[in-house]
Amino acid sequence: MKIEATAHSDGRARRAARSRAAIEDALYALVGEGVLQPTMQEVAARAGVALRSVFRHFSDMEGLFASLDARLRMEALPLLHEPDLTASLRDRLRALVRQRARVFERIAPYKRSADVQRWRSPFIQSQQQLFIAELRVRLRRWLPELEQASADVQEAVELVLSLEAWERLRLAQRLGRARAITVMERTAATLLCGTDPETTGS
């Protein structure tokens, strides 16, 4: 009798795990397609589970957010690489902007979804602060020259190369990817070097 009860419990746990995985997959896919705040009905339909299962798992929103964040990090990680510090400042800046463009484009729909839900999620709030801090550390690794710049220039370069600036260029100003990269690179170069690489021929 005890063995049967244990087997039943194990089977129920496996079904619950499969259901949660399907829900996480559905959420990830829907947000990636631009549905910033999927309804429970949309998630249930995409996951192929009963609506009551979604209600049950949605009671642990922080856990779902954490799962989606971990998956997104795993996808974004291969897009990151370390700088070649033997390269010139402008070559490193050019490579950094292109790397950030790839990462920002990949995570953009998830950032927009997180912004919609940030007010109710301490996890999202903390992760966004952590992301900003991580970008700041990487920025100084790629551009150690920033240490010699004024505090105002350091803050301005960080702003220019931020995800928020990229989103402004791509959405509000409706620039294509290539044009947004050019604007970002030229603005940061002007701040760092005092000259526009386009006009100096560099």
Side-chain angles (χ1 to χ4, degrees):
M1 193 65 133
K2 185 176 180 180
I3 294 175
E4 290 179 2
T6 301
H8 178 72
S9 177
D10 289 346
R12 186 169 54 192
R14 285 193 295 270
R15 286 193 298 274
R18 285 196 299 269
S19 176
R20 184 180 181 87
I23 289 168
E24 291 173 355
D25 288 345
L27 266 175
Y28 195 77
L30 287 165
V31 173
E33 292 166 8
V35 184
L36 300 189
Q37 201 168 12
T39 66
M40 294 185 183
Q41 289 82 359
E42 288 173 322
V43 173
R46 176 64 67 92
V49 301
L51 188 58
R52 65 178 178 276
S53 294
V54 179
F55 273 101
R56 183 167 60 252
H57 290 292
F58 261 55
S59 65
D60 179 25
M61 286 302 297
E62 293 292 85
L64 287 174
F65 291 148
S67 173
L68 298 184
D69 180 77
R71 181 180 300 194
L72 188 58
R73 283 178 175 274
M74 288 297 293
E75 287 200 6
L77 194 60
L79 302 178
L80 300 173
H81 57 84
E82 293 302 307
D84 175 7
L85 295 178
T86 66
S88 70
L89 168 59
R90 282 182 174 158
D91 283 345
R92 278 182 280 118
L93 178 58
R94 186 174 297 113
L96 175 61
V97 170
R98 280 155 180 73
Q99 180 182 110
R100 289 200 168 191
R102 290 192 295 271
V103 173
F104 291 166
E105 288 287 288
R106 181 67 193 91
I107 69 175
Y110 301 95
K111 167 66 164 58
R112 294 165 198 157
S113 177
D115 286 343
V116 171
Q117 304 183 74
R118 180 173 52 193
W119 65 272
R120 63 171 174 163
S121 171
F123 175 81
I124 289 177
Q125 293 166 24
S126 67
Q127 287 303 106
Q128 289 188 340
Q129 289 302 311
L130 179 61
F131 181 65
I132 291 170
E134 289 176 350
L135 288 182
R136 182 178 299 124
V137 169
R138 286 185 173 275
L139 177 63
R140 280 154 176 74
R141 195 179 301 159
W142 276 78
L143 306 175
E145 294 86 353
L146 274 174
E147 296 300 325
Q148 306 304 317
S150 69
D152 288 346
V153 168
Q154 291 183 38
E155 297 293 345
V157 171
E158 183 174 337
L159 172 63
V160 166
L161 300 181
S162 67
L163 174 55
E164 289 75 15
W166 181 258
E167 286 283 271
R168 168 65 187 246
L169 291 170
R170 295 286 277 130
L171 293 181
Q173 296 177 221
R174 300 183 179 181
L175 300 188
R177 177 173 174 156
R179 179 91 187 282
I181 287 173
T182 298
V183 169
M184 217 177 225
E185 182 186 333
R186 290 181 63 178
T187 305
T190 301
L191 285 165
L192 276 170
C193 307
T195 56
D196 184 336
E198 190 72 17
T199 60
T200 60
S202 301

